Amino acid sequence: MNYTLLKPFYVLTIIVHFFMATMFLSNNGFAQEFVQGIDVSNFQGTINWKQVKQAGFTFAFAKATEGISYTDIQFDSNWHGMRAEKIIRGAYHYFYADDDATEQAKHFVAVVGLLRKGQDLPPMLDLEDKPKDKKQYIASVTTWLNYVEQALGCKPIIYVDRPFADDHLGNKFNNYPLWIAEYTSASQPNLPDGWTLWSFWQYSDSGKVAGINGVVDMDKFNGS
């Protein structure tokens, strides 16, 4: 499978995302209108994606993998369900600080496979597992990001909350799109050091959405 053929499209996709985010900026540097989405995993069980679409959600991310061997049991169902309802879809990997980064990246790429033009968002790396050694952690995260970008032809998104980023990342990854996690009713999230713009914002972990039993993470995209 030749992933390099996808690179021109996904470079364009990232440019378009940032262009859209910039085009709709207000005077304080943030978009006035946000696109609504969700992110899911096996914790949401079987999802009725048709109802999610009818409820007005434009995009969704599904957990694909974590560590070097775990595959989310609902990923395949979610991945195909989002596509069937023409929900703009993305996949994410939960990163284990002490697992081999290359093996984690290979596992993610193998599970997600070929990304599709006009239907798939860049992959997201979920950074929550606290490292023992900051220097080694930064090197490992860099390895994962570089491998996945080369394999899938697009720059990954980094998901992180502000305290974790400030403690463990510094300003090493501020050239990557930011998915900030901050649960608040405020109009804007607080950004980690080094970032001046967010691309996605997970603003709640207790949303209620038609087609999903229980609660679900609620997200916004900073663009049109």
Side-chain angles (χ1 to χ4, degrees):
M1 186 176 293
N2 187 358
Y3 290 102
T4 61
L5 295 176
L6 295 176
K7 187 160 185 147
F9 165 71
Y10 281 107
V11 169
L12 177 61
T13 299
I14 292 295
I15 293 172
V16 169
H17 283 176
F18 279 106
F19 172 76
M20 290 191 300
T22 303
M23 185 172 66
F24 289 87
L25 294 183
S26 62
N27 291 333
N28 64 4
F30 293 99
Q32 298 178 15
E33 299 292 338
F34 303 121
V35 179
Q36 295 292 324
I38 58 175
D39 63 271
V40 301
S41 70
N42 64 88
F43 290 109
Q44 279 69 48
T46 301
I47 295 173
N48 186 323
W49 286 105
K50 184 174 183 178
Q51 290 185 19
V52 173
K53 177 72 171 182
Q54 291 173 341
F57 291 90
T58 302
F59 72 90
F61 275 76
K63 183 178 183 179
T65 53
E66 64 179 68
I68 61 175
S69 60
Y70 177 80
T71 301
D72 190 282
I73 60 174
Q74 291 294 334
F75 176 69
D76 189 64
S77 175
N78 287 331
W79 195 237
H80 290 93
M82 289 185 286
R83 183 188 176 197
E85 298 304 326
K86 298 183 179 179
I87 293 173
I88 302 171
R89 63 184 187 174
Y92 76 90
H93 174 79
Y94 186 95
F95 190 79
Y96 282 174
D98 296 329
D99 282 358
D100 183 87
T102 300
E103 292 304 313
Q104 292 191 69
K106 287 181 178 179
H107 178 46
F108 176 79
V109 170
V111 169
V112 175
L114 185 67
L115 299 181
R116 298 176 185 272
K117 181 178 179 180
Q119 299 174 26
D120 302 334
L121 292 164
M124 180 261 277
L125 181 62
D126 184 341
L127 300 180
E128 299 181 61
D129 188 37
K130 293 182 179 180
K132 298 174 182 177
D133 182 271
K134 180 177 179 179
K135 185 176 180 180
Q136 180 58 45
Y137 183 70
I138 289 174
S140 294
V141 171
T142 300
T143 295
W144 192 97
L145 293 169
N146 288 342
Y147 185 99
V148 171
E149 181 172 359
Q150 183 174 5
L152 299 183
C154 54
K155 202 175 190 70
I157 302 161
I158 289 181
Y159 167 98
V160 71
D161 64 31
R162 183 180 180 182
F164 189 97
D166 289 345
D167 288 344
H168 304 296
L169 303 183
N171 60 357
K172 298 296 184 180
F173 301 105
N174 56 17
N175 59 324
Y176 286 86
L178 172 66
W179 186 324
I180 182 69
E182 184 178 34
Y183 307 144
T184 174
S185 59
S187 60
Q188 300 291 342
N190 292 305
L191 301 185
D193 292 339
W195 272 288
T196 58
L197 181 70
W198 57 273
S199 296
F200 293 89
W201 172 18
Q202 186 186 81
Y203 64 92
S204 173
D205 63 350
S206 56
K208 298 290 290 183
V209 174
I212 299 177
N213 294 322
V215 297
V216 65
D217 295 334
M218 306 292 288
D219 305 295
K220 298 177 181 181
F221 171 65
N222 192 12
S224 68

